[in-house]
Amino acid sequence: MRLFKQRALWAILLTGSLTLSGCNDSSSSDDSDSPSASQPMDLTILHVNDHHSHLEADSIGLAVNGQDVDMALGGFPRVVAAINELESTVSSGNILKLHSGDAMTGTLYYTLFKGEADAAMMNEVCFDAFALGNHEFDSGDAGLKTFLDFLQVPGACATPTPVLAANVKPAVGTPLAPNAVDDYIKPYVIKEVGGEKVGLIGIDIKDKTQNSSSPLDSTEFLDEVSTAQAVIDELTAQGVNKIVLMTHYQYANDLTMAAQLRGVDVIVGGDSHTLLGDFEAVGLNSGGDYPTVSQDANGKTVCVVQAWEYAKVVGELKVSFDENGDVESCSGTPHLLVDAPFEVNDTVLEGAEQDTVLAGLANIANVRVQAEDAAAKTVLDTYSAEVDVLKQTKIGTSSVDLCLERIPGQGRSQICSAEETLPHGGDIQMLVAHAFREMALASDIAIQNAGGVRVDVPAGDLTIDTAYTLLPFSNTLVELTMTGDQIRRVLEDAIENATRENGSSGAYPYAAGLRWDVDLTQPFGSRVSNLEFKGKQDVEWTALNMAQRYTVVTNDYIAGGKDGYTTFEEVTGADYVDTFLDYAQSFVDYVEAQPNQTVSKLPYSEYSTQNFTTADGVFYGTRAL
């Protein structure tokens, strides 16, 4: 077994004092605190992020040999196989296997198993480090502890996977810190690779985790950049001159942070679900180069990578360090994991036709034909049998594609273009809001945050799996009695959090019984105008009465002021009623109650955002101002 050494550092940061207790996972002797000469080294980093309980394979249509071919995509057994095979090709053995957060929530595997299935699959890889993401806190600190207990069960890996987040400090005596602040979460770990020390530092996105997840109020989240620099300085003082940040901080933020730091070499990121690399040949849009080569505040090279989402990509980053620990060069491949069966127009290709597709894929950079790992598939099968029974239950039908969107025109949908979501935003978010208003019988209005709704809904059958993948969090419906002015302020709060720097686009509001215009060129407090109300039995829209009291149904998460919905916190006592209706089950009940159990798009006149003006002043609208 490798030995763990703990160290402590008090650093005065912009956010206050920070206690750091690191983890030395190297096999070096006790002189590791002293700076020492280093040697040039080549390092390979294999990485994933944001798998969100997507353990089974999905499917994708790619352009191959001039035709659209549907094929299997990703899944954790395929991730395990790819990492094992790529690891075997590195003759030096200088490898790190990293996961940059958001392992949990998103499918029925989390709904049923609360992280156990995710941990079991991650332990088929035995990552060298796992950095916390914001969704790790969706079930609170206690829920995260449960997952980490599964992840670090004795014997699953030769060395339990270190869990990193330098800027997360749980209070001693709470689930994540029963005895000490670093019982479960370390700020960093030092790995010895090829005789060289490599420091791995975890950074979680501060505001989004606090405002859009459910950590305890006593769990402290520190500034990302200043915390990262403090830990880099601590590792540098120990003689560690190869520094990898494992961030759950978004690709654009990673690039901004890289330019502000001194001493960082590599950033392995997550949270923004960014596909990097050239995928133009198969018809996928990329967010940037893989790797993206940047510079730190000293003008030294920093290599920034991310591996898309949902166990679809394994990133392979190759970094060459000089004798000073500086990056000489970096290159790599974001492996999009695909496999048979291959289908064209719903016909499975076999024989020569399949061979033709395989030959075409072999010539496409960044696409890897990858079989599943048999042992990992066996482990997954022990969980999937229970999931299959539940998810196959049909609840209804969607007659059309229902697009997912957050902010109108943002481009989150996989089945609709960004232009199709202007000016109204997501179809499925609107339908969910209407479902909640119908199911909470006393409500006049429903308000739902965009990010609480997770996937597009293509035309076709709707199942239990559809509902719980669409609405994967353990939320209930809450009824709040509010004035029209409080409702207006809630909308302003939400739009501010959705559009501000380092905010959460998932905060953007959708509503039933309300509609409005949004103008992002206006200051906070003045972005919502033409605010109108139509009750369940009303025929006409009328101006929302600022003094009148209305009953608003929402989910208990944002009802508590999360995701920037701070005005909701004003509603207490008898004006706050938890219906204890499960929000995913409420959507199931709504679908089953529709004529012929069929849903479709709402009339555009019912959509909450009617006109939308971007921050650049571009107007999109359907009604006169």
Side-chain angles (χ1 to χ4, degrees), residues 242-258:
K242 302 170 187 65
I243 305 294
V244 178
L245 286 186
M246 296 175 62
T247 67
H248 199 80
Y249 191 45
Q250 303 183 358
Y251 174 64
N253 289 338
D254 285 340
L255 295 177
T256 300
M257 179 167 61

Side-chain angles (χ1 to χ4, degrees), residues 453-524:
V453 182
R454 304 302 291 180
V455 293
D456 294 299
V457 174
D461 288 349
L462 303 178
T463 64
I464 292 286
D465 182 47
T466 307
Y468 278 86
T469 302
L470 182 70
L471 302 164
F473 309 114
S474 300
N475 292 337
T476 59
L477 298 185
V478 172
E479 292 176 343
L480 309 174
T481 303
M482 309 176 65
T483 66
D485 187 62
Q486 285 177 311
I487 292 169
R488 179 193 63 80
R489 288 190 285 122
V490 161
L491 301 177
E492 291 282 356
D493 293 341
I495 292 169
E496 166 68 8
N497 192 40
T499 57
R500 68 181 176 85
E501 185 178 2
N502 292 330
S504 171
S505 62
Y508 194 86
Y510 286 79
L514 282 180
R515 66 182 190 181
W516 56 74
D517 298 336
V518 172
D519 186 348
L520 297 183
T521 67
Q522 298 301 309
F524 170 54

Side-chain angles (χ1 to χ4, degrees), residues 392-570:
Q392 292 171 1
T393 305
K394 181 179 175 180
I395 60 172
T397 303
S398 177
S399 62
V400 295
D401 289 343
L402 298 171
C403 308
L404 177 81
E405 188 56 287
R406 291 189 173 183
I407 300 170
Q410 185 182 15
R412 300 281 295 202
S413 176
Q414 299 291 308
I415 61 176
C416 305
S417 68
E419 290 74 16
E420 290 177 85
T421 71
L422 285 164
H424 302 299
D427 306 315
I428 188 58
Q429 281 95 340
M430 283 302 312
L431 191 67
V432 164
H434 277 258
F436 290 170
R437 185 169 75 150
E438 291 301 314
M439 293 300 101
L441 300 180
S443 63
D444 304 306
I445 293 165
I447 296 177
Q448 170 65 28
N449 57 322
V453 182
R454 304 302 291 180
V455 293
D456 294 299
V457 174
D461 288 349
L462 303 178
T463 64
I464 292 286
D465 182 47
T466 307
Y468 278 86
T469 302
L470 182 70
L471 302 164
F473 309 114
S474 300
N475 292 337
T476 59
L477 298 185
V478 172
E479 292 176 343
L480 309 174
T481 303
M482 309 176 65
T483 66
D485 187 62
Q486 285 177 311
I487 292 169
R488 179 193 63 80
R489 288 190 285 122
V490 161
L491 301 177
E492 291 282 356
D493 293 341
I495 292 169
E496 166 68 8
N497 192 40
T499 57
R500 68 181 176 85
E501 185 178 2
N502 292 330
S504 171
S505 62
Y508 194 86
Y510 286 79
L514 282 180
R515 66 182 190 181
W516 56 74
D517 298 336
V518 172
D519 186 348
L520 297 183
T521 67
Q522 298 301 309
F524 170 54
S526 301
R527 291 171 180 151
V528 175
S529 62
N530 294 331
L531 186 53
E532 295 179 325
F533 166 72
K534 186 170 83 169
K536 291 177 181 177
Q537 307 305 320
D538 294 341
V539 176
E540 301 294 334
W541 290 90
T542 59
L544 187 72
N545 188 323
M546 293 296 109
Q548 184 174 328
R549 286 162 62 83
Y550 301 87
T551 300
V552 177
V553 64
T554 188
N555 64 73
D556 63 337
Y557 176 72
I558 62 172
K562 294 290 188 178
D563 220 7
Y565 285 72
T566 52
T567 300
F568 272 153
E569 292 183 281
E570 296 178 5

